[in-house]
Amino acid sequence: MTDEFSVESVYAELLGRAPENKMEPRLAPLFRAMDVLGEPNKAYPIIHVTGTNGKTSTARMIESVLRSYGLSTGRYTSPHLSKVTERISIDGHPVSDETFVRIWDEIRPYLEMVDAELVADGEPRLTYFECLTILGFAVFADQPVNVAVIEVGLGGITDATNVGDGQVSVITPISLDHTELLGDTTGDIALEKAGIIKPGGYLISAAQPLDAAQVLLEKARETDVPFRFEGVEFGVEDLTVAVGGQMVTVQGIAGRYPDLLVPLHGAHQAQNAAVAIAALEAFFGGEKELDFELLQEGFAAVTSPGRLEVVRTAPTIVVDAAHNPDGIKATAAALHEAFTFTRLVPVIGVLKEKDAEEILRQLKESLGGEVEEFCFTQSNSPRAVPAADLAELAIEMGFGEDNVHVEEKLDDAIEWAVARAEANDDLSGAVLVTGSITLVAEARILLGKTEA
């Protein structure tokens, strides 16, 4: 049996390549790798998921229901929270260490051949994300899986995952994020996302800003694929807060599904559920209603680690990877809807490539009226904005100097926030750890959550 060090050694080898935030806008090397590996990207049908927010939760919902139908599934998502194998899941669980290392050893010589060709042409060798994506496709072909749910890393048209052709292309809500790479408007960003829409496929889209919706509609017509948009052909009819989540009634594209228990918090997760249901209906042909019992079984098993996840009680600690302004807005709405905290102490950390000012502005607008103190910190990522810089920005934005606290180390930040949440023997105070996914990942590990 492969030991942990072997997985870690492969991970170290991957990290020696260009990092995740230096993805190359290219596909030719990926197609070359697929070619020399025998086209694992064509070994199974694919449901391809892109968007700005909600990709991972939607992918996990789709996959869970597919498994309730008895199908073997592969799920490729990013980033990981505690261990790299989480990115490549088989039947809802991270790929085994043994399989991860074995397939890497099998494909490494072929990737080295592609690397040599790239270097000879004066191009950078395969990046970290490109290699992981190739590994994911190869693992799923080795299994083999009945269907793969593939989440885009960044954008769509030149993302490494786009060597796969989605039988269903799923686009979750688009908003401004990664603007330096994808464009300054939601329409520009939609042009990138629309790259996953392929002839012979089926487009399922969440409700979108008008310019983004127009781009997606034009691409669907250009490629002659059927399309269904949330708010037009399908959507959430009703939702009520329930113990451990919410009861959601969804009108799909082929049927109506009343009172589904979705064990996740927030109206945005109800929206993700509607998109997932429409995607599943499309995958099964688009005309047949899903089996309600199997649908409920699939949703009942859904988890979404790091997304409005309660990781500790007394006091309650919630972690949520809200890494852009729309994510923060959704988090605040979900907290108001699902919880009744008398005191909330946010712990915030942001990565340098994100729009820290807009994230803080949304945080202030959404929570500022009821939050007395904010703790600014940073993850161990070299891309993390220094905690003191975040705090200085917050003070400039009117958070109030007395309301801003700085702790560079996350464990110290959580300890301070817990003490503030419990001040005056308050039994219903809470801590929210949010901002970058690297911060949430570290918080989960600190608080004993190692599974994802």
Side-chain angles (χ1 to χ4, degrees), residues 196-375:
I196 73 165
I197 303 170
K198 307 285 182 64
Y202 201 125
L203 169 63
I204 297 295
S205 175
Q208 304 290 2
L210 188 58
D211 60 347
Q214 189 61 38
V215 167
L216 300 180
L217 183 61
E218 288 172 3
K219 179 67 173 181
R221 287 173 171 161
E222 176 191 320
T223 50
D224 195 28
V225 304
F227 52 85
R228 301 290 184 270
F229 282 81
E230 180 197 4
V232 181
E233 290 94 358
F234 70 92
V236 177
E237 282 191 1
D238 186 54
L239 65 91
T240 55
V241 176
V243 175
Q246 54 194 317
M247 299 296 291
V248 181
T249 295
V250 172
Q251 176 61 56
I253 62 176
R256 183 175 181 273
Y257 309 94
D259 298 329
L260 279 166
L261 176 60
V262 178
L264 303 171
H265 301 292
H268 63 294
Q269 294 289 18
Q271 179 184 30
N272 291 338
V275 172
I277 286 170
L280 288 157
E281 290 174 318
F283 180 75
F284 289 120
E287 297 179 359
K288 186 178 178 183
E289 186 171 343
L290 300 174
D291 182 295
F292 187 87
E293 288 188 7
L294 293 178
L295 182 63
Q296 183 59 87
E297 179 187 327
F299 271 108
V302 168
T303 60
S304 195
R307 275 77 180 178
L308 218 70
E309 179 186 15
V310 177
V311 293
R312 182 172 290 184
T313 56
T316 299
I317 301 179
V318 180
V319 297
D320 191 79
H323 52 83
N324 54 45
D326 276 14
I328 292 286
K329 187 176 181 180
T331 297
L335 286 170
H336 292 145
E337 173 191 293
F339 301 99
T340 53
F341 302 133
T342 55
R343 179 194 299 258
L344 181 66
V345 185
V347 174
I348 309 107
V350 181
L351 295 182
K352 290 174 183 174
E353 65 264 27
K354 299 296 182 176
D355 191 338
E357 185 172 347
E358 282 303 313
I359 288 172
L360 294 192
R361 179 171 287 111
Q362 187 62 63
L363 194 71
K364 188 170 184 289
E365 288 179 7
S366 300
L367 295 174
E370 58 210 85
V371 172
E372 296 175 2
E373 297 168 295
F374 296 83
C375 183

Side-chain angles (χ1 to χ4, degrees), residues 1-15 83-85 95-106 108 132 135:
M1 187 69 182
T2 303
D3 62 22
E4 179 71 16
F5 177 76
S6 296
V7 173
E8 290 306 310
S9 65
V10 172
Y11 186 41
E13 189 176 335
L14 288 165
L15 289 175
K83 187 175 177 180
V84 68
T85 51
V95 62
S96 71
D97 291 1
E98 186 276 329
T99 300
F100 183 87
V101 174
R102 175 175 60 83
I103 301 298
W104 175 252
D105 284 342
E106 289 175 6
R108 182 199 278 115
L132 267 176
L135 178 59

Side-chain angles (χ1 to χ4, degrees), residues 385-408:
V385 177
D389 292 356
L390 271 182
E392 184 179 342
L393 177 59
I395 292 167
E396 289 174 3
M397 294 175 64
F399 277 62
E401 193 166 352
D402 293 342
N403 301 331
V404 170
H405 184 80
V406 177
E407 290 286 356
E408 290 187 3

